[in-house]
mmCIF file with all atom_site columns, all heavy atoms in Angstrom:
data_model
loop_
_atom_site.group_PDB
_atom_site.id
_atom_site.type_symbol
_atom_site.label_atom_id
_atom_site.label_alt_id
_atom_site.label_comp_id
_atom_site.label_asym_id
_atom_site.label_entity_id
_atom_site.label_seq_id
_atom_site.pdbx_PDB_ins_code
_atom_site.Cartn_x
_atom_site.Cartn_y
_atom_site.Cartn_z
_atom_site.occupancy
_atom_site.B_iso_or_equiv
_atom_site.pdbx_formal_charge
_atom_site.auth_seq_id
_atom_site.auth_comp_id
_atom_site.auth_asym_id
_atom_site.auth_atom_id
_atom_site.pdbx_PDB_model_num
ATOM 1   N N   . GLU C 1 146 ? 2.397   9.429   13.930 1.00 95.00 ? 1095 GLU C N   1
ATOM 2   C CA  . GLU C 1 146 ? 1.033   9.081   14.346 1.00 95.00 ? 1095 GLU C CA  1
ATOM 3   C C   . GLU C 1 146 ? -0.006  9.927   13.631 1.00 95.00 ? 1095 GLU C C   1
ATOM 4   O O   . GLU C 1 146 ? -1.047  9.417   13.226 1.00 95.00 ? 1095 GLU C O   1
ATOM 5   C CB  . GLU C 1 146 ? 0.890   9.261   15.861 1.00 95.00 ? 1095 GLU C CB  1
ATOM 6   C CG  . GLU C 1 146 ? 1.399   8.087   16.633 1.00 95.00 ? 1095 GLU C CG  1
ATOM 7   C CD  . GLU C 1 146 ? 0.714   6.811   16.219 1.00 95.00 ? 1095 GLU C CD  1
ATOM 8   O OE1 . GLU C 1 146 ? -0.340  6.507   16.760 1.00 95.00 ? 1095 GLU C OE1 1
ATOM 9   O OE2 . GLU C 1 146 ? 1.235   6.123   15.333 1.00 95.00 ? 1095 GLU C OE2 1
ATOM 10  N N   . THR C 1 160 ? -16.157 4.026   2.802  1.00 85.00 ? 1109 THR C N   1
ATOM 11  C CA  . THR C 1 160 ? -17.089 3.401   3.762  1.00 85.00 ? 1109 THR C CA  1
ATOM 12  C C   . THR C 1 160 ? -17.938 2.303   3.127  1.00 85.00 ? 1109 THR C C   1
ATOM 13  O O   . THR C 1 160 ? -19.106 2.183   3.412  1.00 85.00 ? 1109 THR C O   1
ATOM 14  C CB  . THR C 1 160 ? -18.001 4.424   4.468  1.00 85.00 ? 1109 THR C CB  1
ATOM 15  O OG1 . THR C 1 160 ? -18.763 5.109   3.472  1.00 85.00 ? 1109 THR C OG1 1
ATOM 16  C CG2 . THR C 1 160 ? -17.232 5.379   5.307  1.00 85.00 ? 1109 THR C CG2 1
ATOM 17  N N   . ARG C 1 162 ? -17.861 -2.093  2.277  1.00 88.00 ? 1111 ARG C N   1
ATOM 18  C CA  . ARG C 1 162 ? -17.401 -3.269  3.031  1.00 88.00 ? 1111 ARG C CA  1
ATOM 19  C C   . ARG C 1 162 ? -15.891 -3.425  3.016  1.00 88.00 ? 1111 ARG C C   1
ATOM 20  O O   . ARG C 1 162 ? -15.244 -3.539  4.052  1.00 88.00 ? 1111 ARG C O   1
ATOM 21  C CB  . ARG C 1 162 ? -18.040 -4.526  2.431  1.00 88.00 ? 1111 ARG C CB  1
ATOM 22  C CG  . ARG C 1 162 ? -19.518 -4.624  2.632  1.00 88.00 ? 1111 ARG C CG  1
ATOM 23  C CD  . ARG C 1 162 ? -20.094 -5.756  1.793  1.00 88.00 ? 1111 ARG C CD  1
ATOM 24  N NE  . ARG C 1 162 ? -19.729 -7.064  2.311  1.00 88.00 ? 1111 ARG C NE  1
ATOM 25  C CZ  . ARG C 1 162 ? -20.551 -7.829  3.030  1.00 88.00 ? 1111 ARG C CZ  1
ATOM 26  N NH1 . ARG C 1 162 ? -21.748 -7.379  3.329  1.00 88.00 ? 1111 ARG C NH1 1
ATOM 27  N NH2 . ARG C 1 162 ? -20.186 -9.002  3.442  1.00 88.00 ? 1111 ARG C NH2 1
ATOM 28  N N   . GLU C 1 166 ? -13.114 -2.904  6.142  1.00 91.00 ? 1115 GLU C N   1
ATOM 29  C CA  . GLU C 1 166 ? -12.339 -4.048  6.614  1.00 91.00 ? 1115 GLU C CA  1
ATOM 30  C C   . GLU C 1 166 ? -10.843 -3.767  6.524  1.00 91.00 ? 1115 GLU C C   1
ATOM 31  O O   . GLU C 1 166 ? -10.088 -3.994  7.473  1.00 91.00 ? 1115 GLU C O   1
ATOM 32  C CB  . GLU C 1 166 ? -12.704 -5.273  5.778  1.00 91.00 ? 1115 GLU C CB  1
ATOM 33  C CG  . GLU C 1 166 ? -12.036 -6.525  6.244  1.00 91.00 ? 1115 GLU C CG  1
ATOM 34  C CD  . GLU C 1 166 ? -12.110 -7.640  5.214  1.00 91.00 ? 1115 GLU C CD  1
ATOM 35  O OE1 . GLU C 1 166 ? -12.966 -7.563  4.321  1.00 91.00 ? 1115 GLU C OE1 1
ATOM 36  O OE2 . GLU C 1 166 ? -11.307 -8.560  5.317  1.00 91.00 ? 1115 GLU C OE2 1
ATOM 37  N N   . ILE C 1 177 ? 0.129   -1.526  16.612 1.00 94.00 ? 1126 ILE C N   1
ATOM 38  C CA  . ILE C 1 177 ? 1.256   -2.306  17.135 1.00 94.00 ? 1126 ILE C CA  1
ATOM 39  C C   . ILE C 1 177 ? 2.569   -1.635  16.736 1.00 94.00 ? 1126 ILE C C   1
ATOM 40  O O   . ILE C 1 177 ? 3.471   -1.453  17.558 1.00 94.00 ? 1126 ILE C O   1
ATOM 41  C CB  . ILE C 1 177 ? 1.205   -3.757  16.603 1.00 94.00 ? 1126 ILE C CB  1
ATOM 42  C CG1 . ILE C 1 177 ? -0.065  -4.445  17.077 1.00 94.00 ? 1126 ILE C CG1 1
ATOM 43  C CG2 . ILE C 1 177 ? 2.419   -4.534  17.062 1.00 94.00 ? 1126 ILE C CG2 1
ATOM 44  C CD1 . ILE C 1 177 ? -0.200  -5.854  16.588 1.00 94.00 ? 1126 ILE C CD1 1
ATOM 45  N N   . THR C 1 180 ? 3.171   1.571   18.707 1.00 94.00 ? 1129 THR C N   1
ATOM 46  C CA  . THR C 1 180 ? 3.484   1.296   20.107 1.00 94.00 ? 1129 THR C CA  1
ATOM 47  C C   . THR C 1 180 ? 4.948   0.913   20.264 1.00 94.00 ? 1129 THR C C   1
ATOM 48  O O   . THR C 1 180 ? 5.627   1.386   21.179 1.00 94.00 ? 1129 THR C O   1
ATOM 49  C CB  . THR C 1 180 ? 2.605   0.157   20.627 1.00 94.00 ? 1129 THR C CB  1
ATOM 50  O OG1 . THR C 1 180 ? 1.266   0.489   20.363 1.00 94.00 ? 1129 THR C OG1 1
ATOM 51  C CG2 . THR C 1 180 ? 2.798   -0.039  22.086 1.00 94.00 ? 1129 THR C CG2 1
ATOM 52  N N   . TYR C 1 190 ? 15.167  7.424   25.792 1.00 93.00 ? 1139 TYR C N   1
ATOM 53  C CA  . TYR C 1 190 ? 15.101  8.582   26.681 1.00 93.00 ? 1139 TYR C CA  1
ATOM 54  C C   . TYR C 1 190 ? 15.553  8.201   28.080 1.00 93.00 ? 1139 TYR C C   1
ATOM 55  O O   . TYR C 1 190 ? 16.320  8.934   28.716 1.00 93.00 ? 1139 TYR C O   1
ATOM 56  C CB  . TYR C 1 190 ? 13.678  9.160   26.724 1.00 93.00 ? 1139 TYR C CB  1
ATOM 57  C CG  . TYR C 1 190 ? 13.554  10.294  27.703 1.00 93.00 ? 1139 TYR C CG  1
ATOM 58  C CD1 . TYR C 1 190 ? 14.075  11.534  27.375 1.00 93.00 ? 1139 TYR C CD1 1
ATOM 59  C CD2 . TYR C 1 190 ? 12.966  10.125  28.950 1.00 93.00 ? 1139 TYR C CD2 1
ATOM 60  C CE1 . TYR C 1 190 ? 14.006  12.584  28.272 1.00 93.00 ? 1139 TYR C CE1 1
ATOM 61  C CE2 . TYR C 1 190 ? 12.894  11.156  29.837 1.00 93.00 ? 1139 TYR C CE2 1
ATOM 62  C CZ  . TYR C 1 190 ? 13.409  12.384  29.494 1.00 93.00 ? 1139 TYR C CZ  1
ATOM 63  O OH  . TYR C 1 190 ? 13.343  13.409  30.385 1.00 93.00 ? 1139 TYR C OH  1
ATOM 64  N N   . ARG C 1 309 ? -4.061  -4.207  -6.539 1.00 92.00 ? 1258 ARG C N   1
ATOM 65  C CA  . ARG C 1 309 ? -3.397  -5.132  -5.631 1.00 92.00 ? 1258 ARG C CA  1
ATOM 66  C C   . ARG C 1 309 ? -2.022  -5.537  -6.171 1.00 92.00 ? 1258 ARG C C   1
ATOM 67  O O   . ARG C 1 309 ? -1.054  -5.650  -5.422 1.00 92.00 ? 1258 ARG C O   1
ATOM 68  C CB  . ARG C 1 309 ? -4.286  -6.369  -5.489 1.00 92.00 ? 1258 ARG C CB  1
ATOM 69  C CG  . ARG C 1 309 ? -4.268  -6.959  -4.132 1.00 92.00 ? 1258 ARG C CG  1
ATOM 70  C CD  . ARG C 1 309 ? -5.261  -8.092  -4.066 1.00 92.00 ? 1258 ARG C CD  1
ATOM 71  N NE  . ARG C 1 309 ? -4.965  -8.909  -2.923 1.00 92.00 ? 1258 ARG C NE  1
ATOM 72  C CZ  . ARG C 1 309 ? -5.289  -8.566  -1.684 1.00 92.00 ? 1258 ARG C CZ  1
ATOM 73  N NH1 . ARG C 1 309 ? -5.930  -7.450  -1.447 1.00 92.00 ? 1258 ARG C NH1 1
ATOM 74  N NH2 . ARG C 1 309 ? -4.980  -9.348  -0.690 1.00 92.00 ? 1258 ARG C NH2 1
ATOM 75  N N   . VAL Z 2 40  ? 2.147   1.104   27.526 1.00 94.00 ? 179  VAL Z N   1
ATOM 76  C CA  . VAL Z 2 40  ? 3.206   2.019   27.086 1.00 94.00 ? 179  VAL Z CA  1
ATOM 77  C C   . VAL Z 2 40  ? 3.183   3.287   27.928 1.00 94.00 ? 179  VAL Z C   1
ATOM 78  O O   . VAL Z 2 40  ? 4.240   3.804   28.310 1.00 94.00 ? 179  VAL Z O   1
ATOM 79  C CB  . VAL Z 2 40  ? 3.043   2.347   25.600 1.00 94.00 ? 179  VAL Z CB  1
ATOM 80  C CG1 . VAL Z 2 40  ? 4.175   3.221   25.149 1.00 94.00 ? 179  VAL Z CG1 1
ATOM 81  C CG2 . VAL Z 2 40  ? 3.036   1.100   24.796 1.00 94.00 ? 179  VAL Z CG2 1
ATOM 82  N N   . ASP Z 2 73  ? 11.148  13.770  37.000 1.00 87.00 ? 212  ASP Z N   1
ATOM 83  C CA  . ASP Z 2 73  ? 11.398  14.331  35.668 1.00 87.00 ? 212  ASP Z CA  1
ATOM 84  C C   . ASP Z 2 73  ? 10.067  14.737  35.035 1.00 87.00 ? 212  ASP Z C   1
ATOM 85  O O   . ASP Z 2 73  ? 9.191   13.893  34.838 1.00 87.00 ? 212  ASP Z O   1
ATOM 86  C CB  . ASP Z 2 73  ? 12.101  13.258  34.820 1.00 87.00 ? 212  ASP Z CB  1
ATOM 87  C CG  . ASP Z 2 73  ? 12.557  13.790  33.491 1.00 87.00 ? 212  ASP Z CG  1
ATOM 88  O OD1 . ASP Z 2 73  ? 12.178  14.925  33.155 1.00 87.00 ? 212  ASP Z OD1 1
ATOM 89  O OD2 . ASP Z 2 73  ? 13.279  13.074  32.789 1.00 87.00 ? 212  ASP Z OD2 1
ATOM 90  N N   . ILE Z 2 90  ? -7.064  7.278   18.429 1.00 95.00 ? 229  ILE Z N   1
ATOM 91  C CA  . ILE Z 2 90  ? -7.062  5.979   17.738 1.00 95.00 ? 229  ILE Z CA  1
ATOM 92  C C   . ILE Z 2 90  ? -8.246  5.138   18.198 1.00 95.00 ? 229  ILE Z C   1
ATOM 93  O O   . ILE Z 2 90  ? -8.934  4.507   17.381 1.00 95.00 ? 229  ILE Z O   1
ATOM 94  C CB  . ILE Z 2 90  ? -5.732  5.248   17.978 1.00 95.00 ? 229  ILE Z CB  1
ATOM 95  C CG1 . ILE Z 2 90  ? -4.645  5.930   17.172 1.00 95.00 ? 229  ILE Z CG1 1
ATOM 96  C CG2 . ILE Z 2 90  ? -5.830  3.784   17.598 1.00 95.00 ? 229  ILE Z CG2 1
ATOM 97  C CD1 . ILE Z 2 90  ? -3.317  5.288   17.270 1.00 95.00 ? 229  ILE Z CD1 1
ATOM 98  N N   . LYS Z 2 104 ? -22.419 -2.819  7.999  1.00 90.00 ? 243  LYS Z N   1
ATOM 99  C CA  . LYS Z 2 104 ? -22.245 -3.475  6.705  1.00 90.00 ? 243  LYS Z CA  1
ATOM 100 C C   . LYS Z 2 104 ? -22.327 -4.989  6.818  1.00 90.00 ? 243  LYS Z C   1
ATOM 101 O O   . LYS Z 2 104 ? -22.889 -5.647  5.960  1.00 90.00 ? 243  LYS Z O   1
ATOM 102 C CB  . LYS Z 2 104 ? -20.891 -3.091  6.096  1.00 90.00 ? 243  LYS Z CB  1
ATOM 103 C CG  . LYS Z 2 104 ? -20.745 -1.624  5.789  1.00 90.00 ? 243  LYS Z CG  1
ATOM 104 C CD  . LYS Z 2 104 ? -21.534 -1.238  4.558  1.00 90.00 ? 243  LYS Z CD  1
ATOM 105 C CE  . LYS Z 2 104 ? -21.416 0.268   4.351  1.00 90.00 ? 243  LYS Z CE  1
ATOM 106 N NZ  . LYS Z 2 104 ? -22.361 0.763   3.371  1.00 90.00 ? 243  LYS Z NZ  1
ATOM 107 N N   . TYR Z 2 105 ? -21.683 -5.559  7.854  1.00 89.00 ? 244  TYR Z N   1
ATOM 108 C CA  . TYR Z 2 105 ? -21.542 -7.004  7.922  1.00 89.00 ? 244  TYR Z CA  1
ATOM 109 C C   . TYR Z 2 105 ? -22.540 -7.648  8.890  1.00 89.00 ? 244  TYR Z C   1
ATOM 110 O O   . TYR Z 2 105 ? -22.733 -8.849  8.854  1.00 89.00 ? 244  TYR Z O   1
ATOM 111 C CB  . TYR Z 2 105 ? -20.121 -7.388  8.355  1.00 89.00 ? 244  TYR Z CB  1
ATOM 112 C CG  . TYR Z 2 105 ? -19.061 -7.171  7.303  1.00 89.00 ? 244  TYR Z CG  1
ATOM 113 C CD1 . TYR Z 2 105 ? -18.453 -5.930  7.157  1.00 89.00 ? 244  TYR Z CD1 1
ATOM 114 C CD2 . TYR Z 2 105 ? -18.650 -8.204  6.466  1.00 89.00 ? 244  TYR Z CD2 1
ATOM 115 C CE1 . TYR Z 2 105 ? -17.470 -5.732  6.203  1.00 89.00 ? 244  TYR Z CE1 1
ATOM 116 C CE2 . TYR Z 2 105 ? -17.666 -8.015  5.521  1.00 89.00 ? 244  TYR Z CE2 1
ATOM 117 C CZ  . TYR Z 2 105 ? -17.082 -6.773  5.394  1.00 89.00 ? 244  TYR Z CZ  1
ATOM 118 O OH  . TYR Z 2 105 ? -16.111 -6.579  4.458  1.00 89.00 ? 244  TYR Z OH  1
ATOM 119 N N   . ILE Z 2 113 ? -15.743 -11.254 8.702  1.00 82.00 ? 252  ILE Z N   1
ATOM 120 C CA  . ILE Z 2 113 ? -15.434 -10.016 7.996  1.00 82.00 ? 252  ILE Z CA  1
ATOM 121 C C   . ILE Z 2 113 ? -14.191 -10.272 7.163  1.00 82.00 ? 252  ILE Z C   1
ATOM 122 O O   . ILE Z 2 113 ? -13.095 -9.911  7.543  1.00 82.00 ? 252  ILE Z O   1
ATOM 123 C CB  . ILE Z 2 113 ? -15.207 -8.864  8.991  1.00 82.00 ? 252  ILE Z CB  1
ATOM 124 C CG1 . ILE Z 2 113 ? -16.411 -8.721  9.911  1.00 82.00 ? 252  ILE Z CG1 1
ATOM 125 C CG2 . ILE Z 2 113 ? -14.982 -7.556  8.263  1.00 82.00 ? 252  ILE Z CG2 1
ATOM 126 C CD1 . ILE Z 2 113 ? -16.268 -7.664  10.952 1.00 82.00 ? 252  ILE Z CD1 1
ATOM 127 N N   . ARG Z 2 114 ? -14.315 -10.993 6.088  1.00 80.00 ? 253  ARG Z N   1
ATOM 128 C CA  . ARG Z 2 114 ? -13.132 -11.232 5.257  1.00 80.00 ? 253  ARG Z CA  1
ATOM 129 C C   . ARG Z 2 114 ? -13.517 -11.285 3.796  1.00 80.00 ? 253  ARG Z C   1
ATOM 130 O O   . ARG Z 2 114 ? -13.488 -12.351 3.169  1.00 80.00 ? 253  ARG Z O   1
ATOM 131 C CB  . ARG Z 2 114 ? -12.376 -12.473 5.712  1.00 80.00 ? 253  ARG Z CB  1
ATOM 132 C CG  . ARG Z 2 114 ? -13.218 -13.715 5.835  1.00 80.00 ? 253  ARG Z CG  1
ATOM 133 C CD  . ARG Z 2 114 ? -12.537 -14.820 6.597  1.00 80.00 ? 253  ARG Z CD  1
ATOM 134 N NE  . ARG Z 2 114 ? -11.147 -15.020 6.237  1.00 80.00 ? 253  ARG Z NE  1
ATOM 135 C CZ  . ARG Z 2 114 ? -10.403 -15.934 6.820  1.00 80.00 ? 253  ARG Z CZ  1
ATOM 136 N NH1 . ARG Z 2 114 ? -10.899 -16.694 7.768  1.00 80.00 ? 253  ARG Z NH1 1
ATOM 137 N NH2 . ARG Z 2 114 ? -9.163  -16.102 6.464  1.00 80.00 ? 253  ARG Z NH2 1
ATOM 138 N N   . ASP Z 2 115 ? -13.865 -10.119 3.250  1.00 76.00 ? 254  ASP Z N   1
ATOM 139 C CA  . ASP Z 2 115 ? -14.069 -10.033 1.815  1.00 76.00 ? 254  ASP Z CA  1
ATOM 140 C C   . ASP Z 2 115 ? -12.736 -10.036 1.080  1.00 76.00 ? 254  ASP Z C   1
ATOM 141 O O   . ASP Z 2 115 ? -12.626 -10.519 -0.035 1.00 76.00 ? 254  ASP Z O   1
ATOM 142 C CB  . ASP Z 2 115 ? -14.811 -8.736  1.463  1.00 76.00 ? 254  ASP Z CB  1
ATOM 143 C CG  . ASP Z 2 115 ? -16.293 -8.876  1.720  1.00 76.00 ? 254  ASP Z CG  1
ATOM 144 O OD1 . ASP Z 2 115 ? -16.682 -9.945  2.225  1.00 76.00 ? 254  ASP Z OD1 1
ATOM 145 O OD2 . ASP Z 2 115 ? -17.045 -7.944  1.422  1.00 76.00 ? 254  ASP Z OD2 1
ATOM 146 N N   . ARG Z 2 117 ? -9.116  -11.179 0.276  1.00 61.00 ? 256  ARG Z N   1
ATOM 147 C CA  . ARG Z 2 117 ? -8.350  -12.409 0.480  1.00 61.00 ? 256  ARG Z CA  1
ATOM 148 C C   . ARG Z 2 117 ? -6.900  -12.039 0.775  1.00 61.00 ? 256  ARG Z C   1
ATOM 149 O O   . ARG Z 2 117 ? -6.370  -11.073 0.264  1.00 61.00 ? 256  ARG Z O   1
ATOM 150 C CB  . ARG Z 2 117 ? -8.471  -13.325 -0.729 1.00 61.00 ? 256  ARG Z CB  1
ATOM 151 C CG  . ARG Z 2 117 ? -7.983  -12.733 -2.013 1.00 61.00 ? 256  ARG Z CG  1
ATOM 152 C CD  . ARG Z 2 117 ? -9.097  -12.788 -3.068 1.00 61.00 ? 256  ARG Z CD  1
ATOM 153 N NE  . ARG Z 2 117 ? -8.675  -12.080 -4.277 1.00 61.00 ? 256  ARG Z NE  1
ATOM 154 C CZ  . ARG Z 2 117 ? -8.817  -10.749 -4.396 1.00 61.00 ? 256  ARG Z CZ  1
ATOM 155 N NH1 . ARG Z 2 117 ? -9.304  -10.032 -3.416 1.00 61.00 ? 256  ARG Z NH1 1
ATOM 156 N NH2 . ARG Z 2 117 ? -8.421  -10.152 -5.506 1.00 61.00 ? 256  ARG Z NH2 1
#
Side-chain angles (χ1 to χ4, degrees):
Chain C
E1095 278 303 273
T1109 60
R1111 292 170 72 101
E1115 184 195 341
I1126 298 179
T1129 307
Y1139 176 75
R1258 216 175 163 78
Chain Z
V179 183
D212 187 351
I229 287 182
K243 297 285 177 192
Y244 287 86
I252 305 178
R253 52 194 316 179
D254 280 4
R256 60 236 174 275

